[in-house]
Amino acid sequence: MHAVRALLLRHAARVSSLTVAEGRELRIAEIQTLAQKAGKPVKRVAAATFKQLFGDAVHQGVYVEVTPLPPWHEEELVAGIAAQLEARAAPFVLVLDGVQDPHNLGACLRTADACGALAVVIPKDRAAQMNATVRKVAAGAAETTPLAVVTNLARTLRLLKEAGLWIVGADAEASQLAHEADLAGPIALVMGAEGAGLRQLTRDTCDFLVRLPQAGTVESLNVSVATGMLLYEAMRQRVSRSSAR
């Protein structure tokens, strides 16, 4: 429901139609109202129709037919950074170095959207790609935060440097704690894959590395949890700096 609502509120032009399972109308009354205001047709079908369409997938009684948000390439990414710098903003990009689990990718997209990231960057190979699971977990963020899919992550990081970003890698062995680093400027935050962390070439491309403080015995956090904590630290610093002006 969150993903459908976000689409109708922010990108209604990309929605062609909305289908509701009979018996769910009260739960999704707001969504139906948004669809009608946007001039989108609303169709009601038997609940069994959802079973025929989606099998055993868990659903909430509503789906839309939608034109997907087109993926970004390096050109759109660099142009977006340039536009924000020209507007005297500090661009903020999240880079995922080979995250494999679509649930983690969806969760990272959701938090990136909440923290105002310009885009999320992933490699084309050996990494989770956009699919239905990612869209559902992202709860609407997959329709609002561009996903840039690149063929050579190290080259892309160098392009981001040339565009004016500092490349900040997350590493559990880093000497510097995240709150001690300057994350309020134009940065690309790079997170490693589940278990393996950052690849060596990616690590070597970073300008500096940061880590989260830990007091327990667990060696590392889930990548989406660690991403959320670092994204919010960056946002905290940005809000603090903006308030101090």
Side-chain angles (χ1 to χ4, degrees):
M1 290 192 292
H2 293 297
V4 172
R5 181 178 179 275
L7 272 168
L8 290 168
L9 280 172
R10 303 180 189 180
H11 300 281
R14 288 170 42 210
V15 174
S16 57
S17 67
L18 180 139
T19 301
V20 178
E22 292 174 348
R24 301 286 187 106
E25 290 88 345
L26 289 178
R27 284 193 68 196
I28 56 176
E30 182 193 8
I31 289 176
Q32 293 186 84
T33 300
L34 288 171
Q36 289 162 357
K37 285 182 178 179
K40 306 300 177 182
V42 178
K43 183 167 60 175
R44 291 168 179 77
V45 300
T49 302
F50 278 71
K51 175 74 172 179
Q52 294 168 359
L53 287 170
F54 307 119
D56 294 327
V58 178
H59 62 81
Q60 294 176 311
V62 59
Y63 77 86
V64 291
E65 294 184 6
V66 60
T67 303
L69 183 68
W72 275 14
H73 300 94
E74 290 173 342
E75 294 81 5
E76 290 90 348
L77 192 57
V78 171
I81 291 168
Q84 288 200 344
L85 288 172
E86 188 175 346
R88 298 184 179 276
F92 184 18
V93 173
L94 174 63
V95 181
L96 302 177
D97 183 20
V99 167
Q100 303 289 322
D101 188 339
H103 290 86
N104 283 333
L105 175 56
C108 289
L109 268 167
R110 185 173 185 174
T111 311
D113 176 82
C115 293
L118 172 66
V120 175
V121 180
I122 61 172
K124 182 179 178 181
D125 299 318
R126 294 186 293 278
Q129 302 296 310
M130 182 64 73
N131 61 21
T133 299
V134 174
R135 292 183 187 279
K136 186 170 183 179
V137 174
E143 315 307 333
T144 58
T145 300
L147 186 67
V149 183
V150 301
T151 56
N152 187 317
L153 191 61
R155 182 188 67 191
T156 299
L157 291 177
R158 290 191 292 270
L159 284 174
L160 296 183
K161 279 189 184 185
E162 293 170 5
L165 301 191
W166 290 89
I167 311 301
V168 184
D171 191 298
E173 302 300 321
S175 59
Q176 189 176 27
L177 290 170
H179 70 270
E180 298 171 339
D182 182 1
L183 304 180
I187 64 167
L189 175 64
V190 189
M191 304 298 299
E194 301 93 339
L198 296 174
R199 290 177 294 173
Q200 189 60 48
L201 182 58
T202 304
R203 189 192 312 269
D204 293 342
T205 309
C206 293
D207 292 306
F208 59 93
L209 303 173
V210 298
R211 64 180 172 87
L212 290 163
Q214 285 189 233
T217 58
V218 175
E219 289 186 7
S220 62
L221 296 168
N222 171 275
V223 64
S224 66
V225 173
T227 298
M229 294 172 73
L230 287 167
L231 286 172
Y232 271 98
E233 171 58 26
M235 189 171 73
R236 182 196 66 78
Q237 291 187 22
R238 288 157 188 261
V239 170
S240 179
R241 180 172 295 183
S242 177
S243 301
R245 289 175 181 170

